Amino acid sequence: MSADTVPVAEWGPVTGWGRTAPTAARLIRPRTYEEAAAAVRGCGVRGGIARGLGRAYGDAAQNAGGAVLDMTGLDRIHAIDADGGTVLCDAGVSLHRLMEVLLPLGWFVPVTPGTRYVTVGGAIGADIHGKNHHVCGSFARHVLSLELLTADGGVRTVERGTPLFDATAGGMGLTGVILTATVRLQPVETALMSVDTERAADLDDLMARLSATDHRYRYSVAWIDLLARGAATGRAVLTRGDHAPLDALDARARREPLAFRTSRLPAAPAFLPEGLLSRTSVGLFNEFWYRRAPRARRGQLQRISTFFHPLDGVPHWNRIYGRGGFVQYQFVVGHGREETLRRIVRRISARRCPSFLAVLKRFGRADAGWLSFPMPGWTLALDVPAGLPGLGAFLDELDEQVAAAGGRVYLAKDSRLRPELLASMYPRLDDFRALRAELDPRGVFTSDLSRRLAL
């Protein structure tokens, strides 16, 4: 096939996982690197942006009136170093596929978010984090090098520690199209997790437990009840664990200790009634979820899919919010800014936001990505129906409190941040803009997110 052959394109609506702001774009599905290069050269005046499996909640992988490159057709695993613990793969390979291939060899992905249906390219572009950030950092920390298709249609090998690498890690696809990556892996003895679970009575109790004992665990996360009020404000279920060693398994499980098993429930209906997730229904769910959790349980063995990705067992779970979709709001504030976190949790509780997917984690040291989200401190993520009255103004108020505390919101989940707050949240923003202007002076790589925030 000629290098100038552009793959077939079709117009269609594109939206993020939150399903809040669909825009029409020219969808292009390259099957070779040459097709991807041709698509970049021919993407037109509205530019283009790469897209993986569509798990970014907001508008980062949308491009109204322009091109969107679906990279999932480039999904080859090129080489596995089973001794050294690295994998070289295409950017369109999913974490799910890596787990299928690598777990039987005794290796696991270094970082996984709450879904395994994320591509390696998307993991780098959003510099994803997981339950182990306090120990292992974000995904890009484990990327040794990558190949980047730039605006001129050329391909650059980008090594970690260079300015282009740091702009690409967390750069939301705006420095170019990631084609391949070499990733360092995590050794494991089994495909099971040893999990400790306990209840925390309120937010202060939760933060005290996390601060005192998080260093003992590789993975740590707390589900938090944001509808609880009074003395129970911020009550939570804390879940922490590590990869189970072989000697923790019984004789039956030891027969296939590295088998990757998942479960699957029926898909959510295509459409659900608006208002299904009301304060009453979510309040009842939260009460049930908190009460059913053990006060303290140690060493329970769970599947990897159960511990890391429970919602992946429900296909299209994002439909449960109805036609209007939902907003996932995630912010981080630094250590020493706990009062800001307390104030925001109290405001959400008083506002009675019907959120049943709310998690609190502690971040460790920040990584080098100029637009990478994590910083040392506390991060809270919550889902709320997009149609909640007054939601925009309420989240604007929270943005201002986060920015005043030196914190930031997560661009991979954002769909509504005001651009004037961006520079205070991301101190390397000017460096990112300058490198991008030098690398891509015509603005070939463009998204709804980049237009909205003038990235």
Side-chain angles (χ1 to χ4, degrees), residues 194-212:
S194 177
V195 181
D196 294 351
T197 305
E198 60 195 78
R199 290 188 210 166
D202 55 35
L203 182 60
D204 284 340
D205 182 28
L206 172 61
M207 290 193 292
R209 291 170 188 254
L210 287 167
S211 298

Side-chain angles (χ1 to χ4, degrees), residues 16-19 268 314-322 325-326:
W17 191 244
R19 303 170 67 235
V314 184
H316 307 294
W317 64 264
N318 57 338
R319 295 173 179 170
I320 65 177
Y321 292 88
F326 69 101

